[in-house]
Amino acid sequence: MRRMNAEILSIGDELLIGQVVNTNASWLGEQCSLLGIQVRRITTVGDDREELLAAFARAWEEQDVVIATGGLGPTHDDITREAICAFFDTELVLDTSVLRDIESLFADRKRAVTNVNRDQAMVPVGATVIHNEDGTAPGYHFEREGKHFFVTPGVPYEMHAMVEKYVLPRLRAAFRSPRGSLTLLTTGIPESTLSDALPGIDRLVEGTRIAFLPSPLGVRIRITAQGDDEHTVRDRLQQLRSFIEERSGEYLFGTGTQTLEEVVGTQLRDAGMTVAVAESCTGGLITDKLTNVPGSSQWFNHGIVAYSNESKIELLDVDPTIIRSHGAVSRETAEAMAKGIRRRAATDFGISTTGIAGPSGGSTEKPVGLVWIGISSDAGTLAHDFYFGPHRIRTKQRAAQAAMDMLRRRVCSLPPIPTVLTESS
Amino acid sequence: MRRMNAEILSIGDELLIGQVVNTNASWLGEQCSLLGIQVRRITTVGDDREELLAAFARAWEEQDVVIATGGLGPTHDDITREAICAFFDTELVLDTSVLRDIESLFADRKRAVTNVNRDQAMVPVGATVIHNEDGTAPGYHFEREGKHFFVTPGVPYEMHAMVEKYVLPRLRAAFRSPRGSLTLLTTGIPESTLSDALPGIDRLVEGTRIAFLPSPLGVRIRITAQGDDEHTVRDRLQQLRSFIEERSGEYLFGTGTQTLEEVVGTQLRDAGMTVAVAESCTGGLITDKLTNVPGSSQWFNHGIVAYSNESKIELLDVDPTIIRSHGAVSRETAEAMAKGIRRRAATDFGISTTGIAGPSGGSTEKPVGLVWIGISSDAGTLAHDFYFGPHRIRTKQRAAQAAMDMLRRRVCSLPPIPTVLTESS
């Protein structure tokens, strides 16, 4: 089977001057790779007609698939539509279905359609329109002699939706190849420790590749497998998955694009249980994440962001003598906060955070990055200390993730905190 | 003065398959722009000899400056050094100063130098070595007929240090040219309306360019100016800025990389005033954003995420008859929540959100995406309805931004909500 080659064209001055990081290209590169399409080149050019035409010509000449993003907006600096018409030697015509999309989008937002937006319903003759449910600029698909040229807006969420709904299914149909992948999600274990726990995994199963993708929220393990038929591919993926589950099961919380909040929310919903949250240093990030999950009102009751000592005492019933004796950042305060929110909200679980997010407020004994996380339920109340480093926002992110993981661990009757922490401390 | 053109070449398979986001290119693009060097293209290719040679040839032919990063590591898949030798038709020779760098780096880490690392002291004849204080791979600089070709490793902190210490000073000396840029941040006004409010702005001032960069949080306006001297550049930027401020002043909240939460936090701190937050549909996102600002404990007291009706009644003193008569998503509930949190927390301002984030829970009268936002202060209490569309997380983001903007507007004595909303409704 011939390997298909692709080029990603990213369009926009803002990319060349470094004002925007090109996350679109990496996302598209990943999507193509998952389909077995090889991205040969990513080219970024500005909103410049000559540069665009040269880039179109070169990509179309050399590759089987071209995916271009950006420069389809309604303002004068967006020239991708004009350039693509010139390149395919075609002209614009009004597409009434696109016009209806635009009118309905504006009606939903109770705004009048402007002429500038109405002009976006003019699309190139000879292209299939890719509908944009999230914005006014449609995308285009040109197919000529077995080659594909896709154009979408550069706004990431518009592009993602259009690529997922239109571009990927088209490519999958055009270039089918038995190949599969699986992403296992871990949290609470560093990349190097995880890698040590899985010796020889990269040579364990024929036709597979494995990659560790670390982030502040945990390490994703991505497995890809190839084989002569779908059954072989599935079997190879399953062999590796079993190996990983046996050796690092407690750290695995989900697969694919799941989030920890989705996983723990589903667990609570299925168990008919509820949680309330008392946050100090995470400042609302935990409840923000939990309420990102559709239907979270079934298992999430309320949250309190108690930044000041007074609010910890008044809203969470923390005994003032605890704060005086042990400090607001302490095991005792974290435990009292978790107990207090659970009792006040009358939920099955209460979780709490109190720490020093920085940049100031640290000491030798309690450095910036120290966070105490507490959990309370029928099974009892406990708190544990974590050290998340000097960066304020990363500390908030890692603390929110660790707090939700302590909740997951308790719901699933796993060890209360990551075993690597008890081993190393 | 002739404008200097540059191309950035990013090298590595990991960039093409989307495993790594290309932050190097955006950083280099920004550095070049600040020097007045125009990046015409960013090209990303894999660790493939033919692709590399083609990319080198094209960039060197068309541009004045080429900056290539990546593929200089010690492993077999790193082939940039070999390709650059082939391209400049030269060969490798031992550089004893690089060898000393490598030996000293390994001595610091108490490790023995391997042959693989010793080989990295072999550098192309005819290139100036760029020393690497943070790793083993040196960089190279080829200068031919007034053109410059720089090669550095792809590890971001190694590349940053080498570019800051060697590449930028060289380029600054070679191509001094006055140029400047300014980014103005707006929120509460759509891109097309903003563009209509600034007629002819792209032809208003000689030597300037303008770009509108939309996101769910608002539209950024980026202005770049060139001129024969620094004074002209500053003057041109100021002319455009004044034009924009006159016509859309109420929507402008900051400049550059500021966030709305930083701006409103600074305003509160300077005024010695405080805020508390009562969130329903935004679920903690507002307090999460506010507490991302270092020092926010000075002006942020506490927040309550009251998801259930009971918590709105118990924690925010919302009269149960209000919820029964008007519903939890209503002007009356939003106003009562803002008043309630302000009174309970004894702050100068109280802000509130209540809405239907979706995907379920909408009706014809109250569709998914409807959010009521309330604000309360000495000057009184009011709430306004917004329609943010069908996407749960985007609705949360846009509602949090709109709530902080209502706070900013009240602190600055501006119209309480965006004027475009009162015009169109």
Short mmCIF file of all heavy atoms in Angstrom, two decimals, chain B residues 154-183:
data_model
loop_
_atom_site.label_atom_id
_atom_site.label_comp_id
_atom_site.label_asym_id
_atom_site.label_seq_id
_atom_site.Cartn_x
_atom_site.Cartn_y
_atom_site.Cartn_z
N GLY B 154 17.44 22.11 18.75
CA GLY B 154 16.02 22.40 18.90
C GLY B 154 15.54 22.44 20.34
O GLY B 154 14.40 22.87 20.60
N VAL B 155 16.36 22.04 21.30
CA VAL B 155 15.97 22.10 22.71
C VAL B 155 15.73 23.56 23.06
O VAL B 155 16.64 24.38 22.96
CB VAL B 155 17.07 21.51 23.61
CG1 VAL B 155 16.65 21.55 25.07
CG2 VAL B 155 17.43 20.12 23.17
N PRO B 156 14.50 23.93 23.47
CA PRO B 156 14.17 25.35 23.57
C PRO B 156 15.15 26.18 24.41
O PRO B 156 15.59 27.24 23.97
CB PRO B 156 12.77 25.35 24.17
CG PRO B 156 12.16 24.08 23.65
CD PRO B 156 13.29 23.09 23.68
N TYR B 157 15.53 25.71 25.61
CA TYR B 157 16.36 26.61 26.43
C TYR B 157 17.77 26.72 25.88
O TYR B 157 18.41 27.76 26.00
CB TYR B 157 16.35 26.22 27.91
CG TYR B 157 16.93 24.88 28.25
CD1 TYR B 157 18.29 24.74 28.50
CD2 TYR B 157 16.14 23.74 28.34
CE1 TYR B 157 18.84 23.51 28.82
CE2 TYR B 157 16.67 22.52 28.66
CZ TYR B 157 18.03 22.40 28.89
OH TYR B 157 18.56 21.18 29.20
N GLU B 158 18.28 25.68 25.22
CA GLU B 158 19.59 25.80 24.57
C GLU B 158 19.52 26.79 23.42
O GLU B 158 20.35 27.69 23.27
CB GLU B 158 20.07 24.43 24.05
CG GLU B 158 20.26 23.39 25.15
CD GLU B 158 20.75 22.03 24.61
OE1 GLU B 158 21.25 21.96 23.48
OE2 GLU B 158 20.62 21.03 25.36
N MET B 159 18.48 26.64 22.61
CA MET B 159 18.30 27.51 21.45
C MET B 159 18.12 28.97 21.89
O MET B 159 18.77 29.87 21.35
CB MET B 159 17.08 27.01 20.66
CG MET B 159 16.79 27.74 19.36
SD MET B 159 15.84 29.26 19.58
CE MET B 159 14.19 28.61 19.87
N HIS B 160 17.26 29.20 22.90
CA HIS B 160 17.03 30.58 23.38
C HIS B 160 18.34 31.24 23.77
O HIS B 160 18.64 32.36 23.37
CB HIS B 160 16.10 30.58 24.60
CG HIS B 160 14.68 30.28 24.27
ND1 HIS B 160 13.69 30.33 25.21
CD2 HIS B 160 14.08 29.92 23.12
CE1 HIS B 160 12.53 30.02 24.65
NE2 HIS B 160 12.74 29.75 23.38
N ALA B 161 19.14 30.53 24.59
CA ALA B 161 20.39 31.13 25.08
C ALA B 161 21.33 31.42 23.92
O ALA B 161 21.95 32.48 23.87
CB ALA B 161 21.04 30.19 26.10
N MET B 162 21.45 30.49 22.96
CA MET B 162 22.37 30.70 21.85
C MET B 162 21.92 31.83 20.94
O MET B 162 22.72 32.61 20.44
CB MET B 162 22.51 29.38 21.06
CG MET B 162 23.20 28.30 21.90
SD MET B 162 22.99 26.64 21.23
CE MET B 162 24.28 26.62 19.99
N VAL B 163 20.61 31.93 20.73
CA VAL B 163 20.09 33.00 19.88
C VAL B 163 20.26 34.35 20.58
O VAL B 163 20.68 35.33 19.97
CB VAL B 163 18.60 32.73 19.52
CG1 VAL B 163 17.95 33.95 18.88
CG2 VAL B 163 18.52 31.53 18.57
N GLU B 164 19.97 34.39 21.88
CA GLU B 164 20.09 35.67 22.59
C GLU B 164 21.55 36.13 22.66
O GLU B 164 21.84 37.31 22.54
CB GLU B 164 19.50 35.55 24.00
CG GLU B 164 17.99 35.72 23.97
CD GLU B 164 17.31 35.33 25.27
OE1 GLU B 164 17.99 34.84 26.20
OE2 GLU B 164 16.07 35.49 25.34
N LYS B 165 22.46 35.18 22.89
CA LYS B 165 23.86 35.57 23.08
C LYS B 165 24.60 35.77 21.77
O LYS B 165 25.54 36.56 21.70
CB LYS B 165 24.58 34.51 23.91
CG LYS B 165 24.23 34.66 25.38
CD LYS B 165 25.09 33.80 26.25
CE LYS B 165 24.47 33.77 27.65
NZ LYS B 165 24.67 32.50 28.31
N TYR B 166 24.25 35.03 20.73
CA TYR B 166 25.04 35.11 19.50
C TYR B 166 24.23 35.64 18.31
O TYR B 166 24.61 36.61 17.67
CB TYR B 166 25.62 33.73 19.16
CG TYR B 166 26.49 33.75 17.92
CD1 TYR B 166 27.87 33.94 18.02
CD2 TYR B 166 25.93 33.61 16.65
CE1 TYR B 166 28.66 33.99 16.88
CE2 TYR B 166 26.70 33.67 15.51
CZ TYR B 166 28.07 33.85 15.63
OH TYR B 166 28.85 33.91 14.50
N VAL B 167 23.09 35.00 18.02
CA VAL B 167 22.39 35.29 16.76
C VAL B 167 21.82 36.71 16.74
O VAL B 167 22.04 37.47 15.79
CB VAL B 167 21.27 34.24 16.51
CG1 VAL B 167 20.51 34.57 15.22
CG2 VAL B 167 21.86 32.84 16.44
N LEU B 168 21.10 37.10 17.81
CA LEU B 168 20.45 38.42 17.79
C LEU B 168 21.47 39.55 17.73
O LEU B 168 21.29 40.49 16.94
CB LEU B 168 19.51 38.57 19.00
CG LEU B 168 18.31 37.61 19.03
CD1 LEU B 168 17.43 37.90 20.25
CD2 LEU B 168 17.48 37.69 17.76
N PRO B 169 22.55 39.51 18.52
CA PRO B 169 23.53 40.59 18.38
C PRO B 169 24.09 40.68 16.95
O PRO B 169 24.27 41.79 16.42
CB PRO B 169 24.63 40.20 19.38
CG PRO B 169 23.92 39.36 20.40
CD PRO B 169 22.85 38.63 19.64
N ARG B 170 24.34 39.54 16.31
CA ARG B 170 24.83 39.56 14.93
C ARG B 170 23.83 40.21 13.99
O ARG B 170 24.17 41.00 13.12
CB ARG B 170 25.09 38.11 14.44
CG ARG B 170 26.35 37.51 14.96
CD ARG B 170 27.51 38.42 14.57
NE ARG B 170 28.73 37.93 15.15
CZ ARG B 170 29.69 37.32 14.44
NH1 ARG B 170 29.55 37.14 13.14
NH2 ARG B 170 30.80 36.92 15.03
N LEU B 171 22.56 39.82 14.15
CA LEU B 171 21.53 40.35 13.25
C LEU B 171 21.30 41.83 13.50
O LEU B 171 21.11 42.62 12.58
CB LEU B 171 20.22 39.58 13.44
CG LEU B 171 20.25 38.14 12.94
CD1 LEU B 171 18.92 37.44 13.25
CD2 LEU B 171 20.51 38.10 11.43
N ARG B 172 21.32 42.21 14.79
CA ARG B 172 21.11 43.61 15.14
C ARG B 172 22.17 44.48 14.45
O ARG B 172 21.87 45.52 13.88
CB ARG B 172 21.18 43.77 16.66
CG ARG B 172 20.31 44.88 17.19
CD ARG B 172 20.26 44.85 18.71
NE ARG B 172 19.34 43.86 19.22
CZ ARG B 172 19.64 42.91 20.11
NH1 ARG B 172 20.87 42.81 20.59
NH2 ARG B 172 18.72 42.07 20.51
N ALA B 173 23.41 44.00 14.52
CA ALA B 173 24.49 44.75 13.90
C ALA B 173 24.32 44.80 12.39
O ALA B 173 24.56 45.82 11.74
CB ALA B 173 25.83 44.11 14.27
N ALA B 174 23.87 43.69 11.81
CA ALA B 174 23.80 43.61 10.35
C ALA B 174 22.63 44.40 9.76
O ALA B 174 22.74 44.99 8.70
CB ALA B 174 23.72 42.15 9.92
N PHE B 175 21.48 44.39 10.44
CA PHE B 175 20.27 44.96 9.83
C PHE B 175 19.53 45.88 10.76
O PHE B 175 18.39 45.61 11.15
CB PHE B 175 19.29 43.86 9.41
CG PHE B 175 19.89 42.74 8.66
CD1 PHE B 175 19.81 41.44 9.14
CD2 PHE B 175 20.53 42.97 7.46
CE1 PHE B 175 20.34 40.39 8.42
CE2 PHE B 175 21.07 41.92 6.74
CZ PHE B 175 20.98 40.63 7.23
N ARG B 176 20.12 46.97 11.12
CA ARG B 176 19.38 47.88 12.01
C ARG B 176 18.28 48.59 11.22
O ARG B 176 18.52 49.13 10.16
CB ARG B 176 20.35 48.89 12.64
CG ARG B 176 19.73 49.70 13.76
CD ARG B 176 20.79 50.54 14.42
NE ARG B 176 21.69 49.72 15.23
CZ ARG B 176 21.40 49.30 16.45
NH1 ARG B 176 20.25 49.61 17.01
NH2 ARG B 176 22.27 48.59 17.13
N SER B 177 17.06 48.58 11.74
CA SER B 177 15.94 49.18 11.00
C SER B 177 14.83 49.53 11.97
O SER B 177 14.36 48.67 12.70
CB SER B 177 15.43 48.19 9.96
OG SER B 177 14.04 48.33 9.78
N PRO B 178 14.38 50.79 12.02
CA PRO B 178 13.36 51.17 12.99
C PRO B 178 11.98 50.61 12.62
O PRO B 178 11.54 50.80 11.49
CB PRO B 178 13.34 52.70 12.93
CG PRO B 178 14.39 53.09 11.97
CD PRO B 178 14.78 51.91 11.17
N ARG B 179 11.38 49.97 13.57
CA ARG B 179 10.10 49.29 13.37
C ARG B 179 9.51 49.07 14.75
O ARG B 179 10.22 48.88 15.72
CB ARG B 179 10.41 47.95 12.71
CG ARG B 179 9.22 47.13 12.33
CD ARG B 179 9.73 45.80 11.82
NE ARG B 179 8.66 44.82 11.88
CZ ARG B 179 7.88 44.52 10.85
NH1 ARG B 179 8.04 45.09 9.69
NH2 ARG B 179 6.93 43.62 10.99
N GLY B 180 8.22 49.11 14.83
CA GLY B 180 7.61 48.90 16.14
C GLY B 180 6.23 48.29 15.99
O GLY B 180 5.67 48.26 14.89
N SER B 181 5.70 47.79 17.08
CA SER B 181 4.36 47.24 17.01
C SER B 181 3.65 47.45 18.34
O SER B 181 4.28 47.74 19.36
CB SER B 181 4.39 45.76 16.67
OG SER B 181 4.83 45.04 17.79
N LEU B 182 2.33 47.31 18.29
CA LEU B 182 1.51 47.56 19.46
C LEU B 182 0.26 46.70 19.32
O LEU B 182 -0.31 46.62 18.24
CB LEU B 182 1.11 49.05 19.45
CG LEU B 182 0.18 49.54 20.56
CD1 LEU B 182 0.88 49.44 21.92
CD2 LEU B 182 -0.21 50.98 20.30
N THR B 183 -0.13 46.03 20.40
CA THR B 183 -1.36 45.25 20.37
C THR B 183 -2.36 45.86 21.34
O THR B 183 -2.04 46.04 22.52
CB THR B 183 -1.08 43.78 20.74
OG1 THR B 183 -0.11 43.27 19.84
CG2 THR B 183 -2.34 42.95 20.65
#
